[in-house]
Amino acid sequence: YFANKVYQGLADFLNENNDMDVVTQKRYNFFLAAKIAAIAKDGGDGGRKPDLEQNCLETMRETMRKEDHLPLNPFGPTGIIGRGLLFKYGSNSAQDNIITRLKRNSDGSIVMRRGRPLMEVLLVRRRQDGVWALPGTFIPGLPPGLKKAFGFKDMPEEGEPDKLSAVARELQNELVATFMKERKHIYSGYMADPRATDNAWVESEVYWLHDSEGIFSDIPLVSFQDIPDPSTPSEAAWVVIHHGLKLGFQHGELIKLVAEAAKSYY
């Protein structure tokens, strides 16, 4: 009863202050629902704390949905409405790629730890926040970070000369075709992403390629520290997989699953 009275009083306040823009009102409504839920937890709700809390949040989210006709994040509220930094409302389809290889000594023998082989994974450091992560993309095909790390060149526009020789272009095309063919699909679904909002989220297709033949391992990684493009990773590196590896998003969990499947050290 107390919570309902508080809510009604503040709702009246919002109606009287029409100078607030719509986005501000909706943000305030959502914040208000959370505050009422907190008040209810402290008492005064007749012992129906869980129901009142859930009803407050569901009511506000339902109101937002009806007013905006926007999709709602099926994995729960984030406290942020709108599209945020993502490309579109609703599900944003992404692709993440795990490329692994066995770590070897200078004589070619496999490095072992506690009776298991050490495995390395190719990671890129995000330029925006310095976080290490798997190479990913929101467009089909080879991720731009991988292309730049391996020194791959895009096909030239019509009428422009190719920066690669015919032999180099053929070799690059073969490598890309091998990557796309040999990788295994290991996960499809929601991906924890700091850019997610109440109305936009990321769902990813995750692929794994274990480079047992050294096809990609022998390609020297290109440094792109000086490339100013903010969408370009600041660097790429082969990193040993272990339990202390700190990565962005859910990538650490995905790498753990891969290490377990490969029976490598973790």
Side-chain angles (χ1 to χ4, degrees):
Y1 172 80
F2 173 69
N4 284 336
K5 293 295 287 184
V6 172
Y7 173 73
Q8 186 58 53
L10 289 175
D12 292 341
F13 168 80
L14 284 177
N15 292 332
E16 293 169 3
N17 288 267
N18 294 324
D19 57 326
M20 281 189 180
D21 61 271
V22 175
V23 173
T24 301
Q25 287 192 23
K26 287 173 182 173
R27 286 182 182 275
Y28 192 82
N29 282 346
F30 195 85
F31 172 76
L32 171 62
K35 291 297 288 183
I36 293 173
I39 292 171
K41 276 187 175 181
D42 291 335
D45 63 337
R48 299 187 298 274
K49 299 175 185 134
D51 291 341
L52 181 56
E53 177 180 5
Q54 190 64 25
N55 288 343
C56 283
L57 294 176
E58 288 180 356
T59 298
M60 295 318 303
R61 287 172 59 78
E62 182 66 15
T63 299
M64 289 165 57
R65 185 188 68 78
K66 288 180 179 178
E67 290 180 357
D68 291 340
H69 304 289
L70 296 177
L72 287 179
N73 189 330
F75 303 94
T78 64
I80 302 173
I81 63 173
R83 179 172 58 85
L85 297 176
L86 291 174
F87 295 99
K88 63 178 185 177
Y89 290 100
S91 174
N92 288 254
S93 299
Q95 175 199 135
D96 291 296
N97 293 271
I98 304 173
I99 303 179
T100 58
R101 69 180 185 182
L102 292 173
K103 183 172 179 59
R104 298 181 180 274
N105 294 306
S106 56
D107 61 0
S109 61
I110 299 172
V111 179
M112 305 291 291
R113 181 172 295 176
R114 296 182 181 176
R116 295 196 172 197
L118 277 183
M119 201 158 63
E120 295 179 314
V121 62
L122 182 62
L123 300 176
V124 294
R125 187 195 291 271
R126 288 164 47 87
R127 191 181 296 270
Q128 303 96 316
D129 50 23
V131 173
W132 285 96
L134 296 169
T137 179
F138 282 99
I139 57 177
L142 200 66
L146 277 183
K147 287 183 181 180
K148 290 182 171 63
F150 290 139
F152 291 168
K153 305 295 183 184
D154 290 329
M155 289 292 293
E157 298 289 339
E158 186 176 352
E160 294 184 358
D162 196 340
K163 296 180 180 179
L164 296 178
S165 65
V167 174
R169 174 62 66 185
E170 182 179 1
L171 176 59
Q172 177 178 306
N173 290 341
E174 289 179 359
L175 287 171
V176 173
T178 298
F179 175 82
M180 301 299 287
K181 179 182 177 181
E182 298 297 328
R183 63 183 186 168
K184 299 177 181 178
H185 183 262
I186 63 170
Y187 176 78
S188 178
Y190 182 76
M191 185 68 66
D193 192 297
R195 295 166 291 187
T197 71
D198 280 9
N199 310 113
W201 60 95
V202 176
E203 295 186 39
S204 183
E205 304 289 334
V206 182
Y207 297 88
W208 174 31
L209 173 68
H210 182 63
D211 190 17
S212 57
E213 303 298 325
I215 298 174
F216 294 94
S217 303
D218 294 338
I219 302 176
L221 298 181
V222 176
S223 172
F224 30 80
Q225 290 271 13
D226 298 329
I227 299 178
D229 182 3
S231 65
T232 303
S234 60
E235 59 181 310
W238 290 100
V239 180
V240 173
I241 294 176
H242 59 94
H243 67 277
L245 199 57
K246 303 296 184 183
L247 301 177
F249 313 99
Q250 290 174 258
H251 294 176
E253 298 173 23
L254 294 170
I255 288 176
K256 180 181 179 181
L257 293 176
V258 164
E260 291 174 348
K263 294 181 170 57
S264 68
Y265 173 78
Y266 184 80

